[in-house]
Amino acid sequence: MLQHSPPDPLDRVFGALADPARRGMVERLSQQPASAGQLASHYAMTLSAVVQHLKVLEASGIVVSHKAGRVRTFTVQTETLAAVQRWIDARKLAWHQSLDRLDALLREEQP
Amino acid sequence: MSQHPVHHATFAITRDFEAPVARLWGAFARQDLKDRWFGAHGDAVVITERTFDFRPGGRETAVGHWKTGTVSNFQSTYHDIVEGQRIVYVYDMFVNDWKMSVSLATIEVEARGSGSRLTITEQGAFFGEEGAKHAAGRAQGTAQLMGMLGDSLVD
């Protein structure tokens, strides 16, 4: 039924953001770049689990990392989703979610 | 570069439904039905304010408090309604107290066999994210928008 499916990169972005832990990491990183170890101190999960989440975020293009010495620092890559595109995506996503509910409503038996 | 940039964007979404036009129309025209599908839903958000006045010049509003602390505010005015055919409204979208965008939304419905087709066209003036960063007492706008976008994914 979806007539305008989001392109592949957006699927990855939305997939990456579907996880609440990763959204939390993006929020933290958007305020201040950090290493995996620094992020891990905020979560009740292993360092390797944090690293896995960061890999998903990096693959989606939401964050980028730079290595300086022995420390790899992660930064939110705001250019990946330009502001306008992000607005369009957010509005379209809201519509698609609403229309999924509308579709379910219209499929119900009429009272 | 302006200190207060404005960007313009247009998008369209089309959906086909098995239900006839009359039922599709009702889902927009009746608040009890529209509340069941339109806008913010799910555990991540609580709607604290809602108005619905479906007539030209009438207003529709919805304020949502998200678990992340973000407050979304939809403030809309109906400009044109042609029964069974089209609805045109203009809405402001606020994130916290920052006005994120002003949009012209056109809803068109038409018969499609025994079912119906819905076409939504939105033309928006979007005020960039600099404004969000300057919203009083709030964290950086990108994080808020990301959080809102993320919340909307987990109904």
Side-chain angles (χ1 to χ4, degrees):
Chain A
M1 283 292 209
L2 222 65
Q3 305 254 336
H4 295 267
S5 303
D8 217 19
L10 286 179
D11 284 346
R12 280 204 304 274
V13 168
F14 292 145
L17 290 174
D19 185 285
R22 287 198 288 271
R23 287 202 301 281
M25 291 175 188
V26 171
E27 286 202 36
R28 285 192 184 281
L29 291 175
S30 67
Q31 284 157 17
Q32 191 175 2
S35 68
Q38 287 167 330
L39 274 181
S41 68
H42 295 288
Y43 296 94
M45 63 174 83
T46 62
L47 177 61
S48 69
V50 171
V51 168
Q52 285 304 313
H53 282 308
L54 288 170
K55 279 184 180 170
V56 174
L57 288 172
E58 192 162 24
S60 73
I62 297 170
V63 305
V64 292
S65 69
H66 302 283
K67 197 164 187 180
R70 295 171 58 191
V71 178
R72 180 171 291 279
T73 300
F74 292 84
T75 308
V76 172
Q77 171 72 307
T78 48
E79 291 80 4
T80 303
L81 289 175
V84 175
Q85 192 58 47
R86 191 152 45 230
W87 177 79
I88 293 174
D89 294 340
R91 300 311 308 147
K92 279 182 130 175
L93 181 68
W95 268 118
H96 281 305
Q97 291 182 320
S98 288
L99 294 179
D100 287 346
R101 287 188 292 266
L102 174 58
D103 194 43
L105 174 67
L106 293 176
R107 285 174 191 279
E108 287 176 15
E109 291 298 317
Q110 280 189 277
Chain B
M1 186 71 185
S2 164
Q3 290 243 314
H4 303 284
V6 58
H7 309 282
H8 299 96
T10 299
F11 67 86
I13 293 171
T14 302
R15 281 265 194 138
D16 289 342
F17 298 95
E18 289 173 9
V21 164
R23 287 195 68 206
L24 177 58
W25 183 261
F28 282 89
R30 282 174 47 185
Q31 184 181 357
D32 61 330
L33 294 177
K34 196 172 183 184
D35 279 350
R36 292 177 60 187
W37 66 272
F38 182 75
H41 272 73
D43 295 337
V45 63
V46 177
I47 304 300
T48 57
E49 184 193 314
R50 180 86 174 106
T51 60
F52 186 88
D53 184 12
F54 187 73
R55 59 183 175 84
R59 290 181 59 71
E60 178 174 356
T61 63
V63 177
H65 287 255
W66 297 78
K67 275 186 176 169
T68 48
T70 299
V71 178
S72 60
N73 185 348
F74 169 84
Q75 296 282 327
S76 156
T77 303
Y78 290 105
H79 284 249
D80 187 55
I81 296 174
V82 178
E83 169 86 25
Q85 292 181 42
R86 69 167 181 261
I87 303 162
V88 181
Y89 60 94
V90 173
Y91 73 93
D92 299 330
M93 180 60 82
F94 295 85
V95 177
N96 297 329
D97 288 328
W98 167 59
K99 188 184 285 185
M100 182 170 74
S101 58
V102 179
S103 299
L104 172 67
T106 303
I107 308 294
E108 294 168 279
V109 299
E110 60 184 314
R112 184 91 179 160
S114 61
S116 53
R117 170 165 286 186
L118 169 68
T119 303
I120 298 157
T121 305
E122 282 208 23
Q123 297 158 282
F126 168 61
F127 304 121
E129 288 170 357
E130 287 305 306
K133 290 174 189 171
H134 295 130
R138 298 293 180 174
Q140 199 196 51
T142 302
Q144 290 168 16
L145 291 177
M146 285 287 203
M148 203 171 146
L149 187 60
D151 279 349
S152 71
L153 286 163
V154 282
D155 263 7

